Amino acid sequence: MRIDVQGVEPAAPAAAPALDFRLRVHADAPVRALTLATQLRIDADARDYDEDARRRLEGLFGPPETWGRNVSSLLWARTVTHVPAFTGSTPATLTVPCTYDFDVAAATYLHGLPGGEVPLRFLFTGTVFYLDGGRLQAACLPWDTEAGHRMPVRVWKELMDRHFPRTAWIRLERDTFDRLYAHRVRHTLLGWDDTVRSLLETSGG
């Protein structure tokens, strides 16, 4: 069995941000069903980075002099896709939920890229049910079933802009939030942007 990744587009309609990767699944025998488990990884060491990108990603990979040992593959997502019966080849859609949570390394990485392409690696496992001589058989996908794809960075950024226009999200511990809220009330600030700006100005940031 061979699986190709042919493209990517925003999942629509979707209440939460997600990307649909278009797959083409090829099989030598008639398939009755395929349960496809996918580990999607970002091959961060498979592209070049200019000075701007290195500055934006320093919080993830450290200073430039350490990138040789720090830049490596990042886990983006794990998904399960159910593919119905087919003969020969069939299209399939692999839906990947996306987050703007900067505690997630993949989101930090994708946000930090100014442009270009994201080198992706799809590692497939799962069970295929197929016909052999008229009898139903089951087999696991070979361990080396995988595919690569280079996704334009703009696809992810446009998706985030659609769901979170001109905003970004961070998580805070409740105690930190309570202190931040108290600062907002104490200084009669109108919104959270004003609250954070006042703290940055106070600290000289």
Side-chain angles (χ1 to χ4, degrees), residues 11-76:
L19 292 173
D20 283 343
F21 288 89
R22 300 189 303 276
L23 308 182
R24 172 64 65 169
V25 185
H26 309 266
D28 296 329
V31 172
R32 285 294 172 260
L34 168 63
T35 300
L36 187 65
T38 306
Q39 182 183 128
L40 175 55
R41 303 192 68 87
I42 298 171
D43 287 339
D45 55 349
R47 63 159 281 168
D48 295 325
Y49 302 90
D50 60 18
E51 184 177 347
D52 183 31
R54 289 176 179 271
R55 177 183 57 78
R56 292 165 63 95
L57 294 171
E58 187 170 342
L60 186 62
F61 295 133
E65 60 269 19
T66 68
W67 277 42
R69 60 178 181 272
N70 288 347
V71 178
S72 59
S73 177
L74 302 172
L75 176 65
W76 183 357

Side-chain angles (χ1 to χ4, degrees), residues 19 26 32 56 64 78 80-81 124 144 162 185 205:
L19 292 173
H26 309 266
R32 285 294 172 260
R56 292 165 63 95
R78 300 178 190 270
V80 176
T81 306
F124 300 112
D144 58 350
R162 177 184 303 179
V185 171

Side-chain angles (χ1 to χ4, degrees), residues 2 11 38 61 74 82 96 109 115 121 140 166-167 172 186 195:
R2 188 178 88 250
T38 306
F61 295 133
L74 302 172
H82 298 285
V96 176
Y109 176 82
R121 179 64 49 186
C140 295
R166 298 187 61 192
T167 58
L172 300 175
R186 185 165 58 251
T195 304

